[in-house]
Amino acid sequence: MRYTIFGESHGPAIGVVLQGVPSGLALDLEEIAFQLARRAPGKNALSTPRREADAPEILSGYFEGRTTGTPLAAVIRNTDTRSRDYAATRALARPGHADYPAHIRYGGFEDYRGGGHFSGRLTAPLVFAGSVARQVLAARGVTVGAHIRSVGAVSEPSFAAWGEPLSPALLRAVEERDFPTLSEERGSAMQEEILAARSERDSVGGAIECAVLGLAPGIGSPDLGENVEGILSRHLFAIPGVKAVGFGEGFGFAALRGSEANDALYMRGGAVTSPTNHSGGVNGGITNGLPLLFSVAMRPTASIAREQDTVNMDTWTDAKLTITGRHDPCIVHRAVPVVEAAAALAVCELLGI
Amino acid sequence: MRYTIFGESHGPAIGVVLQGVPSGLALDLEEIAFQLARRAPGKNALSTPRREADAPEILSGYFEGRTTGTPLAAVIRNTDTRSRDYAATRALARPGHADYPAHIRYGGFEDYRGGGHFSGRLTAPLVFAGSVARQVLAARGVTVGAHIRSVGAVSEPSFAAWGEPLSPALLRAVEERDFPTLSEERGSAMQEEILAARSERDSVGGAIECAVLGLAPGIGSPDLGENVEGILSRHLFAIPGVKAVGFGEGFGFAALRGSEANDALYMRGGAVTSPTNHSGGVNGGITNGLPLLFSVAMRPTASIAREQDTVNMDTWTDAKLTITGRHDPCIVHRAVPVVEAAAALAVCELLGI
Amino acid sequence: MRYTIFGESHGPAIGVVLQGVPSGLALDLEEIAFQLARRAPGKNALSTPRREADAPEILSGYFEGRTTGTPLAAVIRNTDTRSRDYAATRALARPGHADYPAHIRYGGFEDYRGGGHFSGRLTAPLVFAGSVARQVLAARGVTVGAHIRSVGAVSEPSFAAWGEPLSPALLRAVEERDFPTLSEERGSAMQEEILAARSERDSVGGAIECAVLGLAPGIGSPDLGENVEGILSRHLFAIPGVKAVGFGEGFGFAALRGSEANDALYMRGGAVTSPTNHSGGVNGGITNGLPLLFSVAMRPTASIAREQDTVNMDTWTDAKLTITGRHDPCIVHRAVPVVEAAAALAVCELLGI
Amino acid sequence: MRYTIFGESHGPAIGVVLQGVPSGLALDLEEIAFQLARRAPGKNALSTPRREADAPEILSGYFEGRTTGTPLAAVIRNTDTRSRDYAATRALARPGHADYPAHIRYGGFEDYRGGGHFSGRLTAPLVFAGSVARQVLAARGVTVGAHIRSVGAVSEPSFAAWGEPLSPALLRAVEERDFPTLSEERGSAMQEEILAARSERDSVGGAIECAVLGLAPGIGSPDLGENVEGILSRHLFAIPGVKAVGFGEGFGFAALRGSEANDALYMRGGAVTSPTNHSGGVNGGITNGLPLLFSVAMRPTASIAREQDTVNMDTWTDAKLTITGRHDPCIVHRAVPVVEAAAALAVCELLGI
């Protein structure tokens, strides 16, 4: 399965083409709508008030309720666009955004409205594609699920440190929460962190931890383009705002001794397993049968309401910018289904689906 | 430029084929030897005593002192192999290594001696290829250089926090050190950390920070397979032992506010620049003209001299393993030229070279 | 530039996503409509009477009249679908069509109506993409153009044997003909051949010769995936009905002596050239500066009105099939813009656009 | 399985790296040597007298007699090189060869000796890789085999027209002939054609027909990069000298009516089959269970002993060239195992091996 996402925030539509979908899959359209709703803005004060129906129209690859195996294309029309928010400040590169690099890259021909092709809105077709991928994986016993690991200074335990064993049921329970944390108390504290940033006309970053359950050992290879970490990270870094990816202990490995980092192996019920999972389910680029565990860091939303120093790309002079319009003080909670989607698509690639 | 690495630690040879090398490049073979020597083991108590000449033979793509533009193949013969170290414990999966996943992946047909295809020795042809890539980049004004950011509990300042401005000269000065840190005092403390781990029959991890200077703004794209972070991380995670990759503030972004994370923009000398570089030189997957900055975490060497619990892959029973043979208590310092090599190859891909 | 085509003949829409389009190109939408009209059916007795507006809607990658450089998506709605023509004979594999292999490949879940994803209708988005590619190439001085070389037993001279020199003007003159041949007299004879086949409730095949003018020498490589012939043929064989591809003399080379096949070289006006072009503008997988010349063979339309022996894929028993519905007695003339489109997309790949 | 070939005719060595080889395959090294011997020159007056041991050394991916599943690298040393044959005429572009396009492509830095990277000698590692691929396919019941269809004006029957049914045994019988034709009488006539060309200081082209037996129906897709014809042709056009590829009737389709071209389908022994195989085993880019049949045209050897008009690439003036050295008057018979090798590698790609 390979996907191609297209569209701009304020263009006619955004969408995705998904190639290599197995034929005969009875798509659960309600589940797709559920996943899109998890990502959708406009639900509360934690997000931008922009509201989009986000109702995908499937144009191809789907016949009589099942996938055909030919390319599956879906489009989502853009409706609630307020382009006038952007025209006035078109020439002012928003700090932290891609405005300046995009201006150079595309020669000034990029659609600047609402971030254009760089908009977080483009993650809607990614979630669509990921939801299809998750249904493909579910049929093979593979489950993907994530939780918010931290927002600003507030964190919650990792999957490994949480009291309950990692299971599809636990992942689904988190998934169904409006604010997907393991600990509801920690989740409330994170939401307060977001509201505090918002009240200070600021934004805040965070981290997401994701698990993939049900992967057999022996998948992947140490080689370039074939190793688990490389495939996953290639997909994860295509999510706007992701700036770091770590597997298992991730950057924590730097401070560990080998005796702390190695996962001892034991036979349990005829299978090789380990009471620890420091390596995050992968050694030498190959799955080891333990849950695949990784974390990503999301940068704080670049759009903040404070005045910022920047440059004018028409006159190439220094300028002051105060961003108006509708923006998320934090995208971490909305990014959870996006990380799950990218992970599911990556795992399909890994499995040769 | 695309590379394919082949070989096993104790097979006849290891090597690399590099496709797409520009023609007419007068290869600096001494520089290649220098880079290979930086990676080579056996220099002191910080590394395995295995000694290899690591003298590459160029088989193709090189004629009358210059690259031809056709595939460049180089092989390095394996000479100092002591395979008997491994035969006795062949069936015992070394914790933290890929033995068990590889056994499943390759059906038990993998060359187990010295880690086989998973050996850190395979990074020698990677350094060869990377050194060619660095020479290609040098001709375009692009410089790659790294330093050890931390070993265990000992760290040194980042490039951003270091007193001197980031420049090719600074990078080269670090490169020429036996133990490549910015601060020699901090470097000494790191070496003590390594020797302490060694004396406790343990190993230790660390982190490496890398910079790429001279990249124009506007390179890359937000899309899957085209964004800077995805391309870099795909190459970096192909290095054995790399478990995390972060750009700019990396995982630090999770704790930041937008007002702290955004890089304000100013016109200086006719160019867009910023006094800070939190984003690591990339926004929306596209270079912004500031130095490309990223860090990787290296896990501690999995081979430690202590007894470990594991499984016997012949009998599928629990077992005890004490690893003998020659091993590095830390691979971080030897990994510095490897990270630079992978980064250079990634940047060539990014530049469409 | 890479393209992904999606859609089924009787689904909601067909379309294409084109990645890597250079930014800032002022698309000539009339030219796109002209190319789509050349391919469109329903014009006369030579083609199926199915009529489609074939009006593409551009969904992304296009802003204020120019390409943005981000993925360009276009969809064409299906309107004149008469699916009842197909339901009755759904289980009967049409000889010469992909019905049986597709049934196995897609497990019976394929959209069978009107050939589904295998329909020649899918060449409309290919022509759209190709027309964009031709405009990109035109800006670089590269022109693509083709003529019908033969229909059944009737042929016309090759470009090499035609009296006029090969030029963009000649190619455009042919392009503007309803029936694109060099010789109008030969074209009339070919049309009679088509009508004869039609009157006998049969169909007829043919060959198309294509030229690409303006390519510099030195493009390509002998290596797999990089050679001119391999790149062109990969694109050309993705056209439904293409069963053979030859460069220069093509299969004629088999009967030639070296002294007949070699193109002697001369300096003319400071450039290397040759009075002959047996090799079709490519030696060793690399362009030589002469026009790139190749031919493709199109099989006769598989849908014929005669009764045919086949199998029933529900009962897996022998059956008789008489195809009704609307079909082309020949697709060669409609395939000319499709071959040009595929060639233009291939040349963009070759040029690294 | 993906392969990368490297080397120059008169460099230290030529070789190949084969990635994705299934692990545990007990390589039949004698069979590999047999295939290399079929391709090897120097056997008789039909070929160049250059003699090479062509003994491949396997450097990696092979352990205790079996493939490991990691990259398999093999090198063949160049020994019988007479580079002085080439130095004198280095600046003179040999007509029909890639000298001039390569000179532009590689900026004059290409290794010109003996055709360098363009040499037919590079087909030795291709045959090595293909022989491995054929052994992989044999384990899956898939057989590849070819015969010379024509040399100059002399042809022999196609597989379809030959009296014996197409079977692995027939293919192997042809394979074991020094001059691989179905008809020994026709083979003798072809050899006379070659000797006639040689005696006239000329060369001659030919055609090769190849069959792949044992492919299940339902493999491939109509889409770009996934269709049978596109995958096969991409591999076949990477063979030096191949200038045309056709499937089933190939260019013959152009002259056929649909009623002649369609293969009627029947149930026989519970399977769908056809008494004819005009389509060459593929419809809509997907295998149909009949033998995969295709033909390639090989151009006449470009090196001929006659004086030819050409250009001097140092002075860019007209020149006369008389090629000396050792050359094949015909490469068609030596190309048979090369076509089989490329086909086997293509079929592995098609099967996702």
Side-chain angles (χ1 to χ4, degrees):
Chain A
M1 273 170 63
R2 298 174 303 289
Y3 75 86
T4 307
I5 282 177
F6 58 85
E8 280 80 31
S9 181
H10 292 218
I14 56 178
V16 64
V17 182
L18 202 47
Q19 294 171 273
V21 184
S23 60
L25 181 71
L27 283 184
D28 184 339
L29 300 180
E30 283 188 26
E31 173 67 18
I32 292 174
F34 167 68
Q35 296 296 345
L36 285 168
R38 291 177 69 209
R39 192 214 68 90
K43 284 181 294 198
N44 51 41
L46 300 173
S47 308
T48 166
R50 177 173 174 175
R51 290 183 164 284
E52 288 283 3
D54 278 355
E57 181 192 12
I58 300 180
L59 296 182
S60 66
Y62 185 67
F63 179 54
E64 297 180 343
R66 290 178 182 269
T67 58
T68 58
T70 56
L72 179 69
V75 294
I76 300 172
R77 293 275 162 182
N78 291 320
T79 53
D80 183 18
T81 54
R82 289 166 46 183
S83 304
R84 65 185 174 283
D85 287 348
Y86 298 92
T89 56
R90 170 179 189 170
L92 302 182
R94 294 167 301 163
H97 276 289
D99 295 357
Y100 167 63
H103 190 81
I104 302 299
R105 167 70 174 78
Y106 300 112
F109 295 104
E110 66 280 5
D111 181 351
Y112 61 88
R113 300 168 302 167
H117 187 59
F118 294 82
S119 168
R121 182 155 170 69
L122 273 284
T123 57
L126 179 55
V127 167
F128 175 91
S131 185
V132 173
R134 293 169 79 173
Q135 296 183 33
V136 169
L137 292 175
R140 287 160 170 80
V142 175
T143 308
V144 178
H147 71 115
I148 305 175
R149 185 73 168 76
S150 71
V151 169
V154 183
S155 66
E156 75 163 8
S158 68
F159 281 128
W162 187 242
E164 297 170 69
L166 198 44
S167 70
L170 175 64
L171 295 179
R172 187 67 185 183
V174 173
E175 196 173 332
E176 290 178 349
R177 287 178 193 149
D178 277 349
F179 196 84
T181 50
L182 291 165
S183 157
E184 299 201 47
E185 178 272 331
R186 297 280 77 202
S188 297
M190 290 178 194
Q191 294 180 58
E192 282 166 31
E193 186 89 348
I194 297 172
L195 294 173
R198 184 171 180 270
S199 70
E200 295 165 39
R201 296 187 302 151
D202 211 338
S203 63
V204 64
I208 293 167
E209 187 188 27
C210 187
V212 185
L213 309 182
L215 288 174
I219 303 164
S221 137
D223 296 326
L224 180 71
E226 300 177 0
N227 61 86
V228 171
E229 294 101 328
I231 290 173
L232 264 288
S233 65
R234 178 172 166 272
H235 282 266
L236 293 166
F237 278 119
I239 300 172
V242 168
K243 293 297 282 187
V245 173
F247 292 82
E249 299 290 340
F251 272 100
F253 273 117
L256 293 182
R257 289 288 180 89
S259 58
E260 297 166 318
N262 287 350
D263 296 305
L265 300 175
Y266 302 92
M267 299 303 301
R268 289 292 177 272
V272 174
T273 188
S274 176
T276 60
N277 188 5
H278 300 297
S279 69
V282 54
N283 300 109
I286 306 179
T287 58
N288 64 18
L290 294 173
L292 180 62
L293 290 177
F294 61 88
S295 294
V296 303
M298 308 289 303
R299 55 164 297 145
T301 320
S303 289
I304 56 176
R306 301 182 183 188
E307 185 184 80
Q308 297 180 85
D309 287 336
T310 189
V311 298
N312 181 311
M313 298 188 293
D314 283 345
T315 59
W316 297 111
T317 52
D318 288 351
K320 300 282 183 187
L321 169 66
T322 302
I323 295 174
T324 57
R326 304 165 295 181
H327 301 287
D328 291 289
C330 182
I331 55 166
V332 180
H333 51 295
R334 291 181 57 199
V336 170
V338 181
V339 167
E340 292 165 349
L345 289 157
V347 169
C348 285
E349 178 179 332
L350 189 60
L351 294 173
I353 297 172
Chain B
M1 274 170 60
R2 298 175 303 288
Y3 75 86
T4 307
I5 282 177
F6 57 85
E8 280 81 31
S9 182
H10 291 219
I14 57 179
V16 64
V17 183
L18 202 46
Q19 295 172 272
V21 183
S23 60
L25 182 70
L27 283 184
D28 184 339
L29 300 180
E30 283 188 26
E31 173 66 18
I32 293 174
F34 168 68
Q35 296 297 345
L36 286 167
R38 291 176 69 208
R39 191 215 69 90
K43 285 182 293 196
N44 51 40
L46 300 173
S47 308
T48 166
R50 177 173 175 175
R51 290 183 164 284
E52 289 282 5
D54 278 355
E57 182 192 10
I58 300 180
L59 296 182
S60 67
Y62 185 66
F63 179 54
E64 297 180 343
R66 289 179 182 270
T67 57
T68 58
T70 57
L72 179 70
V75 294
I76 299 172
R77 293 276 161 181
N78 291 320
T79 53
D80 183 20
T81 54
R82 288 166 48 183
S83 304
R84 64 186 175 282
D85 287 347
Y86 299 92
T89 55
R90 170 178 191 170
L92 303 182
R94 294 167 301 163
H97 276 288
D99 295 357
Y100 167 63
H103 190 81
I104 303 299
R105 167 71 173 78
Y106 300 111
F109 295 105
E110 65 280 4
D111 181 351
Y112 61 87
R113 299 167 302 166
H117 188 58
F118 294 82
S119 168
R121 182 155 170 70
L122 273 284
T123 58
L126 179 53
V127 167
F128 175 92
S131 186
V132 173
R134 293 169 79 172
Q135 295 183 33
V136 170
L137 292 175
R140 285 163 171 78
V142 175
T143 308
V144 179
H147 70 115
I148 306 176
R149 185 75 168 76
S150 71
V151 168
V154 183
S155 66
E156 74 163 10
S158 68
F159 282 127
W162 187 242
E164 298 170 67
L166 197 44
S167 70
L170 175 64
L171 295 179
R172 188 66 185 183
V174 172
E175 197 173 333
E176 290 177 349
R177 288 177 192 149
D178 278 351
F179 196 86
T181 51
L182 291 166
S183 157
E184 300 201 45
E185 178 273 328
R186 296 280 78 202
S188 297
M190 291 178 193
Q191 293 180 58
E192 282 165 32
E193 186 88 350
I194 297 172
L195 293 174
R198 184 169 180 269
S199 70
E200 295 164 40
R201 296 189 300 152
D202 211 340
S203 63
V204 64
I208 293 167
E209 186 188 26
C210 187
V212 185
L213 309 182
L215 288 173
I219 303 165
S221 137
D223 296 326
L224 180 71
E226 300 177 0
N227 61 86
V228 172
E229 295 100 327
I231 289 173
L232 263 289
S233 66
R234 180 172 164 271
H235 282 265
L236 293 166
F237 278 120
I239 300 173
V242 168
K243 293 296 281 186
V245 174
F247 292 81
E249 299 290 339
F251 272 101
F253 273 118
L256 293 182
R257 289 288 180 90
S259 57
E260 299 166 316
N262 287 351
D263 297 304
L265 300 175
Y266 302 92
M267 298 303 302
R268 288 292 176 270
V272 175
T273 188
S274 176
T276 60
N277 188 5
H278 300 297
S279 69
V282 53
N283 299 110
I286 306 179
T287 57
N288 64 17
L290 295 172
L292 180 62
L293 290 177
F294 61 88
S295 295
V296 304
M298 307 290 304
R299 54 164 298 143
T301 319
S303 290
I304 55 176
R306 301 181 183 189
E307 185 182 81
Q308 297 180 86
D309 288 336
T310 189
V311 298
N312 181 310
M313 299 188 292
D314 283 345
T315 59
W316 297 111
T317 53
D318 287 351
K320 301 282 184 189
L321 169 67
T322 303
I323 295 175
T324 57
R326 305 165 294 180
H327 301 288
D328 290 288
C330 181
I331 55 166
V332 179
H333 51 296
R334 291 182 56 200
V336 169
V338 182
V339 167
E340 292 164 349
L345 290 157
V347 169
C348 285
E349 177 179 332
L350 189 61
L351 294 172
I353 297 172
Chain C
M1 274 171 62
R2 301 174 302 289
Y3 75 86
T4 307
I5 283 176
F6 58 84
E8 280 81 31
S9 181
H10 291 219
I14 57 179
V16 65
V17 182
L18 202 47
Q19 295 170 272
V21 183
S23 60
L25 182 70
L27 283 184
D28 184 339
L29 300 179
E30 283 188 27
E31 174 67 17
I32 292 174
F34 167 69
Q35 296 297 345
L36 285 167
R38 292 176 68 208
R39 191 215 69 89
K43 286 182 294 199
N44 51 39
L46 300 173
S47 308
T48 165
R50 177 174 174 176
R51 290 184 164 282
E52 289 282 3
D54 278 354
E57 182 192 10
I58 299 179
L59 296 182
S60 67
Y62 185 67
F63 179 54
E64 298 180 341
R66 289 179 182 269
T67 56
T68 59
T70 57
L72 180 70
V75 295
I76 300 172
R77 295 276 162 181
N78 291 320
T79 52
D80 183 19
T81 53
R82 288 166 47 181
S83 304
R84 65 185 174 281
D85 287 349
Y86 298 93
T89 55
R90 171 180 189 168
L92 303 182
R94 295 166 302 163
H97 277 288
D99 295 357
Y100 168 63
H103 190 81
I104 302 299
R105 167 70 173 77
Y106 300 112
F109 295 104
E110 67 280 4
D111 180 351
Y112 61 87
R113 300 167 302 168
H117 187 58
F118 295 82
S119 167
R121 181 153 171 70
L122 273 284
T123 59
L126 180 55
V127 167
F128 175 92
S131 185
V132 173
R134 293 169 79 171
Q135 295 182 34
V136 169
L137 292 174
R140 286 161 171 78
V142 175
T143 308
V144 178
H147 70 115
I148 305 175
R149 185 74 169 78
S150 71
V151 169
V154 184
S155 65
E156 74 163 9
S158 67
F159 280 128
W162 187 243
E164 298 171 69
L166 198 44
S167 71
L170 175 64
L171 295 180
R172 187 67 185 184
V174 173
E175 197 173 333
E176 290 177 349
R177 287 177 192 149
D178 278 349
F179 196 86
T181 50
L182 291 165
S183 157
E184 298 201 47
E185 178 272 328
R186 295 280 79 202
S188 297
M190 290 179 194
Q191 294 181 58
E192 282 166 31
E193 187 88 349
I194 296 171
L195 295 173
R198 183 170 181 271
S199 71
E200 294 164 41
R201 296 188 302 150
D202 211 338
S203 64
V204 66
I208 293 167
E209 187 188 26
C210 187
V212 185
L213 309 182
L215 288 173
I219 304 163
S221 138
D223 297 326
L224 180 71
E226 300 177 359
N227 62 84
V228 172
E229 296 101 326
I231 290 174
L232 264 289
S233 66
R234 178 172 165 273
H235 282 265
L236 293 165
F237 278 121
I239 301 172
V242 167
K243 294 296 282 186
V245 173
F247 292 81
E249 298 290 339
F251 272 101
F253 273 117
L256 293 182
R257 290 288 181 90
S259 57
E260 298 166 317
N262 287 351
D263 296 304
L265 299 176
Y266 302 92
M267 298 304 301
R268 288 291 177 273
V272 174
T273 190
S274 176
T276 60
N277 188 5
H278 300 298
S279 68
V282 53
N283 300 107
I286 306 179
T287 58
N288 63 18
L290 295 173
L292 180 62
L293 291 177
F294 61 88
S295 294
V296 304
M298 307 290 304
R299 56 164 297 144
T301 319
S303 289
I304 55 176
R306 301 179 182 190
E307 184 183 83
Q308 296 180 85
D309 288 336
T310 190
V311 297
N312 181 311
M313 298 188 292
D314 284 344
T315 59
W316 297 112
T317 52
D318 287 351
K320 300 284 184 186
L321 168 68
T322 302
I323 295 174
T324 57
R326 305 164 295 179
H327 300 287
D328 290 288
C330 182
I331 55 166
V332 179
H333 52 295
R334 290 182 57 200
V336 169
V338 181
V339 167
E340 292 165 349
L345 290 157
V347 169
C348 284
E349 178 179 333
L350 189 60
L351 293 173
I353 298 172
Chain D
M1 274 171 62
R2 299 174 303 289
Y3 76 87
T4 307
I5 282 176
F6 58 84
E8 280 81 30
S9 182
H10 291 220
I14 56 178
V16 65
V17 182
L18 202 47
Q19 295 171 272
V21 183
S23 60
L25 181 71
L27 283 184
D28 184 339
L29 300 180
E30 283 188 27
E31 173 66 18
I32 293 174
F34 167 69
Q35 296 297 344
L36 285 168
R38 292 176 68 208
R39 191 215 69 89
K43 285 182 296 198
N44 51 40
L46 300 173
S47 308
T48 165
R50 175 173 176 175
R51 289 183 166 284
E52 289 283 4
D54 278 356
E57 181 192 11
I58 300 180
L59 296 182
S60 67
Y62 185 67
F63 180 54
E64 297 181 342
R66 289 178 183 270
T67 57
T68 58
T70 57
L72 180 69
V75 294
I76 300 172
R77 295 274 162 182
N78 291 321
T79 52
D80 183 19
T81 54
R82 288 166 48 181
S83 304
R84 64 184 176 282
D85 287 349
Y86 298 94
T89 55
R90 173 181 187 169
L92 303 182
R94 295 167 301 162
H97 277 287
D99 295 357
Y100 168 63
H103 190 81
I104 302 298
R105 167 71 172 78
Y106 300 111
F109 295 105
E110 66 280 3
D111 181 350
Y112 60 88
R113 299 168 301 168
H117 187 59
F118 295 82
S119 168
R121 179 150 173 74
L122 272 285
T123 58
L126 179 54
V127 167
F128 174 92
S131 186
V132 173
R134 294 169 79 172
Q135 296 182 33
V136 169
L137 292 174
R140 286 161 170 79
V142 174
T143 307
V144 178
H147 71 114
I148 305 174
R149 185 73 168 77
S150 71
V151 169
V154 183
S155 66
E156 74 163 11
S158 67
F159 281 128
W162 187 243
E164 298 170 69
L166 198 45
S167 71
L170 175 63
L171 295 180
R172 186 68 186 183
V174 173
E175 197 173 331
E176 290 178 349
R177 287 176 192 149
D178 277 349
F179 197 86
T181 50
L182 291 165
S183 157
E184 299 201 47
E185 178 272 328
R186 295 279 78 203
S188 297
M190 290 179 196
Q191 293 181 57
E192 282 166 31
E193 187 88 350
I194 296 172
L195 294 174
R198 184 171 180 270
S199 71
E200 294 165 41
R201 297 188 301 150
D202 211 340
S203 64
V204 64
I208 293 167
E209 186 187 28
C210 186
V212 185
L213 309 182
L215 288 173
I219 303 164
S221 139
D223 296 327
L224 180 71
E226 301 177 359
N227 62 84
V228 172
E229 295 99 327
I231 289 173
L232 264 290
S233 66
R234 179 173 164 271
H235 282 265
L236 293 165
F237 278 121
I239 301 173
V242 167
K243 293 297 282 186
V245 173
F247 292 82
E249 299 290 340
F251 272 99
F253 272 118
L256 293 182
R257 290 288 180 88
S259 57
E260 298 166 317
N262 287 350
D263 296 304
L265 299 176
Y266 302 92
M267 298 303 301
R268 288 292 177 272
V272 174
T273 189
S274 175
T276 61
N277 187 6
H278 300 298
S279 69
V282 53
N283 300 109
I286 305 178
T287 58
N288 63 18
L290 295 172
L292 180 62
L293 290 177
F294 60 89
S295 294
V296 303
M298 308 291 302
R299 55 163 298 145
T301 320
S303 289
I304 55 175
R306 301 182 183 188
E307 185 182 81
Q308 296 180 86
D309 288 335
T310 189
V311 298
N312 181 311
M313 298 188 293
D314 284 345
T315 59
W316 297 111
T317 53
D318 287 351
K320 300 283 183 186
L321 169 67
T322 302
I323 295 174
T324 56
R326 305 165 295 180
H327 301 287
D328 291 289
C330 182
I331 55 167
V332 179
H333 51 296
R334 291 182 56 200
V336 169
V338 181
V339 167
E340 292 165 350
L345 289 157
V347 168
C348 285
E349 178 180 332
L350 189 60
L351 293 173
I353 298 172

